[in-house]
Amino acid sequence: MSLKEQPETGRAQDIPGQVALALIARGVLKPEQLARAARAQQANGGRADLALTQLGLVAERDMALAYAEVLGLPLTEPDAYPVTPVWPERLSAAFLRKARIVPLREAGGRLVAAMADPLDKNAIEALQLALGSAPAIQIGVPGDIEAALMRLYGPDGSTAAAPVASAIPAEHLAADMRYLREQGSEAVAVRLVTQLIAGAIQAQASDIHIEPYDGSLAVRYRIDGVLSAMEAPDFAHYPAIIGRIKVLAGLDMAERRKPQDGRCLISIEGRRVDLRVSILPGLHGEGVVLRILDQTRAPLHLGRLGFGDELQAQIDSLITQPHGVILVCGPTGSGKTTTLYAILRSLQKEQIKIVSVEDPVEYQIEGVNQIQVRPQIGLGFSEILRAVLRHDPDVIMVGEARDSETAHIAIQAALTGHLVLCSLHTNDAAGAVARLADMGIEPYLLASTLRGVVAQRLVRKLCPNCRIEDRLAGRAGLAEGLSAGTKIWRPGGCPACRNTGYAGRTVAAEYIPANETLQNLILARAGSAEIQRAFVAAGMRTLRADGLAKAASGVTSLEEVLRVSAA
């Protein structure tokens, strides 16, 4: 495809309008969203097409595709960016960052360059003046431009480009104008925090850890449950970064001695993402953890969680019970809440009233009455549960049974005809019975109300593009049920998985049904080890055995199963 020249000034005047029409035609922009951006930008000055991405109404890649369509210019794919700077002696890194331009290559004596904003006439004229000839322009996705500039020229907070993601403003014109003025100010803190969050979203991270040390700053993303170090901003910007995060989350700017928690809603590439913010004072300053709750990527459907066919059928049968207690167990980060949400979605019907009591509410589910626990005002799990029972629900989800009082109320709710879903922090399914006994639940009550216990872990899935075939060989002693010579797979490493060998996660789980065997063991006050032995002897697939079956089928690696499961 031949490269076209930048449009003449007269024709370029209507390009933003053509771009907006192209976005509407492609179904990624609604007319009312365009009107909102136009009103805000007319009052604030500037171009409406830039407001569309700054307000989070259009994903940056969709905007780049629209520019390419209207201008007849090619879109630069991520693998087309150079590995070394092109013409560094003629083009300064400061200018390229400010203009958001990446030189790609030389073709026929002309520079081929990718631009985030192909309508920036001043940048194109400056580029032509520096080179002595008109450049051949291609369209670049802003995130790809930022990543290439960082890789080619290194970090430079003072000249970094304006952010491409932002806090969601209120629906009023005044808030939109205020937000756009903030964008135009190019405040370093705004840019750096936005880049950190946008980078985490792009990497599909679940958490961002920002940790100050003596004169340095560390940033780590938790990707597929494992922390990975990222390039951190200069320590000089640390106070501004903390301040910006506190502003977004509505926290006390002056408080530096006590932990603080909050949340905020941001817009990344045209979609809403909820952030939970936790700030903890340390020796060298306040550390921050941002939990990313991206509902568009959460697999809130039982069929997508990765349960095996047999276990899936058992869970499907379990949740059709009219009343009783269903427990989902595992340590922090094992996916318990996601499983509970998926069950709630499966139970959603017009005829069923569902109420959840959570701390915090992680995802909002339409049709479910979700209640946030607020212990600071005396509104704990037990207080809310008492009130919930007076609202005649059919299904109750208790985010976690943390104390004896909450556990007793959940059992009473099950006895009075409610289906109660609850999570517990135990290592295995058998341990849930002992945990409830420790909370003072009488055996006869537990035996009559418990319907089933699911225990789970999350294991990383092998990247299908680079996994390497292996043989179990001498490690057979570590893998119950797998014989020596069994074909397994191990991680390789490629650009698609960031050279980790893994991409995404799935569930390894075990299930104990509340059958007569379990009821008798509960009434006999059997310990967790005795319960485990009884059900393994009866043919239960343990959590580790489920993980090993996934390793044998090439879904995950043996090392990953051993990392998350006990022998």
Side-chain angles (χ1 to χ4, degrees):
M1 181 177 181
S2 61
L3 300 178
K4 295 188 177 181
E5 301 292 340
Q6 173 71 6
E8 297 177 0
T9 304
R11 180 173 173 264
Q13 295 297 328
D14 64 348
I15 293 298
Q18 294 179 40
V19 169
L21 292 177
L23 290 166
I24 292 174
R26 295 179 62 236
V28 297
L29 178 67
K30 297 178 181 178
E32 57 268 26
Q33 292 175 319
L34 175 60
R36 170 185 162 190
R39 285 195 303 269
Q41 205 60 18
Q42 284 169 3
N44 201 49
R47 286 165 28 204
D49 59 320
L50 296 180
L52 290 172
T53 52
Q54 290 173 343
L55 290 175
L57 301 175
V58 174
E60 57 182 26
R61 184 171 180 83
D62 288 328
M63 180 62 73
L65 289 169
Y67 282 140
E69 176 184 338
V70 171
L71 298 174
L73 298 174
L75 179 70
T76 307
E77 296 299 335
D79 58 0
Y81 290 92
V83 295
T84 57
V86 176
W87 288 358
E89 70 283 356
R90 303 174 65 178
L91 298 169
S92 72
F95 164 72
L96 295 175
R97 283 194 176 92
K98 186 173 181 62
R100 292 193 292 170
I101 297 174
V102 176
L104 300 176
R105 62 186 179 277
E106 180 185 358
R110 300 175 68 194
L111 178 71
V112 181
M115 293 188 68
D117 180 9
L119 302 185
D120 188 346
K121 184 179 66 172
N122 292 332
I124 293 176
E125 289 178 350
L127 196 59
Q128 181 171 347
L129 185 63
L131 300 175
S133 61
I137 299 301
Q138 294 188 186
I139 310 299
V141 177
D144 296 341
I145 295 276
E146 295 282 354
L149 289 170
M150 180 70 74
R151 176 172 52 81
L152 292 169
Y153 301 99
D156 187 344
S158 63
T159 56
V164 297
S166 52
I168 289 265
E171 296 296 325
H172 304 292
L173 175 61
D176 283 348
M177 290 170 57
R178 185 167 58 252
Y179 174 74
L180 291 178
R181 281 195 294 270
E182 183 183 59
Q183 290 283 308
S185 70
E186 294 191 351
V188 172
V190 175
R191 289 200 307 271
L192 292 178
V193 171
T194 298
Q195 289 166 4
L196 287 173
I197 297 172
I201 294 294
Q202 187 175 16
Q204 300 188 29
S206 61
D207 302 86
I208 305 171
H209 293 246
I210 304 172
E211 301 159 328
Y213 295 99
D214 188 11
S216 64
L217 193 64
V219 172
R220 294 187 289 174
Y221 291 167
R222 188 175 294 279
I223 303 172
D224 293 336
V226 178
L227 285 172
S228 300
M230 299 293 159
E231 193 157 10
D234 191 276
F235 185 75
H237 299 307
Y238 161 71
I241 291 172
I242 294 295
R244 174 62 179 165
I245 291 172
K246 287 183 177 181
V247 168
L248 286 174
L251 302 179
D252 187 350
M253 292 282 292
E255 182 57 70
R256 296 183 178 88
R257 300 166 301 170
K258 298 179 181 178
Q260 295 191 72
D261 295 299
R263 69 190 306 159
C264 59
L265 199 61
I266 64 170
S267 174
I268 296 291
E269 296 188 353
R271 67 177 184 272
R272 288 186 169 191
V273 176
D274 201 1
L275 289 181
R276 277 168 43 196
V277 180
S278 178
I279 296 182
L280 185 67
L283 181 62
H284 300 291
E286 295 172 290
V288 181
V289 175
L290 305 177
R291 168 64 59 87
I292 301 170
L293 303 173
D294 186 354
Q295 190 156 345
T296 62
R297 288 179 175 168
L300 302 183
H301 187 282
L302 277 173
R304 294 172 54 197
L305 295 180
F307 291 111
D309 292 340
E310 182 181 352
L311 182 52
Q312 179 72 57
Q314 290 172 321
I315 294 175
D316 289 339
S317 175
L318 178 65
I319 64 178
T320 61
Q321 300 292 323
H323 52 79
V325 176
I326 299 172
L327 299 176
V328 179
C329 307
T332 300
S334 61
K336 301 185 301 296
T337 302
T338 301
T339 297
L340 289 172
Y341 278 140
I343 292 175
L344 290 185
R345 281 213 165 157
S346 298
L347 292 172
Q348 273 183 300
K349 291 180 183 177
E350 184 180 345
Q351 300 84 2
I352 296 178
K353 179 168 182 174
I354 303 175
V355 179
S356 72
V357 186
E358 307 173 54
D359 183 24
V361 175
E362 295 197 7
Y363 298 107
Q364 297 181 28
I365 303 178
E366 186 175 353
V368 176
N369 299 278
Q370 296 174 271
I371 304 171
Q372 169 73 53
V373 171
R374 301 183 186 278
Q376 64 272 22
I377 61 171
L379 196 63
F381 279 103
S382 57
E383 290 82 6
I384 295 174
L385 278 173
R386 290 193 188 93
V388 163
L389 292 175
R390 294 193 288 271
H391 276 244
D392 190 29
D394 298 291
V395 178
I396 302 171
M397 186 188 98
V398 182
E400 182 184 346
R402 297 179 179 176
D403 53 55
S404 175
E405 189 175 9
T406 301
H408 274 90
I409 296 174
I411 294 294
Q412 290 297 328
L415 285 171
T416 53
H418 303 87
L419 182 63
V420 180
L421 311 175
C422 187
S423 72
L424 274 179
H425 279 101
T426 61
N427 289 325
D428 53 30
V433 175
R435 178 69 186 278
L436 289 174
D438 290 341
M439 290 182 178
I441 303 299
E442 291 295 335
Y444 73 92
L445 290 176
L446 185 57
S448 62
T449 56
L450 188 61
R451 296 292 176 262
V453 185
V454 177
Q456 65 178 65
R457 298 288 192 281
L458 293 178
V459 295
R460 291 182 292 173
K461 295 193 295 185
L462 287 166
C463 175
N465 299 316
C466 62
R467 65 178 185 172
I468 301 171
E469 187 176 339
D470 200 357
R471 293 285 172 179
L472 198 55
R475 292 177 292 175
L478 298 174
E480 55 189 83
L482 298 183
S483 59
T486 299
K487 184 174 73 172
I488 58 173
W489 302 81
R490 59 184 174 86
C494 68
C497 62
R498 302 173 303 278
N499 294 313
T500 65
Y502 296 97
R505 290 189 288 179
T506 189
V507 169
E510 64 184 22
Y511 171 65
I512 291 182
N515 54 22
E516 185 177 352
T517 299
L518 181 61
Q519 290 173 350
N520 290 335
L521 289 168
I522 292 173
L523 293 173
R525 299 180 182 271
S528 58
E530 186 179 349
I531 294 174
Q532 181 81 353
R533 285 194 298 269
F535 277 91
V536 169
M540 181 189 78
R541 174 185 275 187
T542 65
L543 191 150
R544 168 169 280 197
D546 187 48
L548 291 173
K550 287 181 166 61
S553 63
V555 173
T556 188
S557 67
L558 176 60
E559 289 76 13
E560 183 68 7
V561 175
L562 300 179
R563 180 180 70 87
V564 303
S565 64

